[in-house]
Amino acid sequence: MYRLSRELAVISTADFVTPPVDDPRWFGRIAAANSLSDVYAMGGRPLLALNLVMFPAEALGGELLREILAGGGEVIAAAGASLAGGHSVEDREPKYGLAVTGVVHPEGIWRNVGARPGDALVLTKPLGTGVLFNACRAGKLPWPDLAALLPEVAALNRAAAEVAQGFEVHACTDITGFGFAGHALEMVRGSRVTLEISWSALPLFPGAVEMYRRGETTGSNRANRQVCGEDLAIETRLAAHEEALLFDPQTSGGLLLAVPGADADRLVAALRAQGVAAAARVGEVTAAPGRGGLRIR
């Protein structure tokens, strides 16, 4: 973020991903929503986007690329932003995302630090995309079952951010590649508090727990668990396939918001009224000596 004046700061961010699904248009939609999410997680509004494209044009052909870009363009338009160009290179594996420029009032910037004792935590999207994408590739999850979930996966965090701007937000992060536990711990370590999370309150995509139970996983789970180290304490009895959801890497995940405890239920109701159906109060913030921690109960 760069402050231009007392009333205007610019947000600049970039992200791209490999295909989470084989369908090129859904790939474009999910990747674009994922890239735009960082602006919403900072309380901002996206203005411009640039396509970032790595693609094996000779091997896959132009039609697939056109579908990817069409999907991304649909999401950029839904965000109210303008596609201002981009850059492409030849690559053996497709990758797509956006460089995004947004704006925010300097006094309205959300950071992933600043959570306070007495705050409640609200999560706006379900968890489990990582294992579901892998399960579909492995033939354990039929494509129609995954396709039914993709509109929510590719949904912008725009509505969630706009609703939350009507409340006092002390901290915010979006849940992406480090999984729920990893991104929650970013909030912990910067705020020096403890997050008390109710595992049973976490919204989960249908089938995610079952896929872990059947032995499916992701290449990021182990590393995401290691990142948490001793700052994570699981204080309730969870089976291994349930615990795995804490480390499941998300693509285009939801926002985790820390708001005053007295406001949390009103925020959840307002989010659901604006179509953020999975919004849920998932925990509380408590005081902690030292650097704090993440407790799952």
Side-chain angles (χ1 to χ4, degrees):
M1 289 175 284
Y2 187 86
R3 190 162 95 169
L4 296 175
S5 69
R6 293 180 179 179
E7 296 185 351
L8 184 66
V10 171
I11 297 169
S12 183
T13 184
D15 201 348
F16 57 84
V17 296
T18 56
V21 294
D22 290 336
D23 184 287
R25 191 168 289 240
W26 276 117
F27 172 31
R29 291 166 178 160
I30 293 167
N34 182 69
S35 300
L36 288 157
S37 182
D38 282 338
V39 174
Y40 295 123
M42 290 185 275
R45 176 171 59 90
L47 292 181
L48 297 174
L50 299 173
N51 281 326
L52 303 177
V53 180
M54 288 127 275
F55 193 76
E58 186 172 334
L60 294 183
E63 184 57 34
L64 281 178
L65 180 55
R66 280 190 287 272
E67 283 292 297
I68 293 168
L69 298 182
E74 291 169 357
V75 173
I76 294 166
S82 296
L83 179 61
H87 187 67
S88 63
V89 296
E90 181 78 19
D91 198 351
R92 288 179 294 179
E93 183 177 20
K95 303 173 187 72
Y96 173 62
L98 304 172
V100 184
T101 300
V103 292
V104 63
H105 194 288
E107 295 179 3
I109 294 169
W110 298 342
R111 296 174 172 86
N112 63 357
V113 300
R116 307 173 188 177
D119 282 351
L121 298 162
V122 173
L123 182 62
T124 65
K125 277 191 181 184
L127 305 173
T129 55
V131 73
L132 293 174
F133 291 150
N134 280 8
C136 188
R137 291 192 193 99
K140 295 180 181 178
L141 181 70
W143 166 249
D145 291 356
L146 179 62
L149 307 178
L150 295 185
E152 188 162 16
V153 176
L156 288 165
N157 283 323
R158 177 179 183 173
E162 289 177 350
V163 169
Q165 284 164 359
F167 292 78
E168 183 180 346
V169 175
H170 293 157
C172 178
T173 187
D174 57 342
I175 307 299
T176 53
F178 291 114
F180 177 84
H183 289 285
L185 276 169
E186 290 179 341
M187 192 178 289
V188 163
R189 291 164 179 163
S191 305
R192 296 186 179 274
V193 294
T194 292
L195 303 190
E196 306 269 0
I197 303 297
S198 171
W199 192 89
S200 62
L202 292 173
L204 306 175
F205 277 110
V209 172
E210 174 63 13
M211 289 302 108
Y212 276 116
R213 189 191 67 78
R214 292 174 57 182
E216 192 58 56
T217 188
T218 80
S220 299
N221 275 60
R222 179 176 295 181
N224 286 350
R225 178 64 182 90
Q226 291 173 343
V227 164
C228 296
E230 296 180 358
D231 293 333
L232 171 65
I234 298 177
E235 300 177 348
T236 187
R237 182 175 294 179
L238 295 179
H241 60 269
E242 295 172 321
E243 184 177 321
L245 264 297
L246 298 170
F247 314 113
D248 187 90
Q250 304 306 288
T251 302
S252 187
L255 302 180
L256 180 65
L257 299 143
V259 299
D263 294 343
D265 291 340
R266 289 195 301 111
L267 173 57
V268 169
L271 287 166
R272 292 178 178 175
Q274 291 301 311
V276 187
R281 181 174 181 161
V282 300
E284 317 296 329
V285 181
T286 60
R291 57 193 266 167
L294 177 64
R295 296 178 185 168
I296 311 297
R297 50 183 171 81

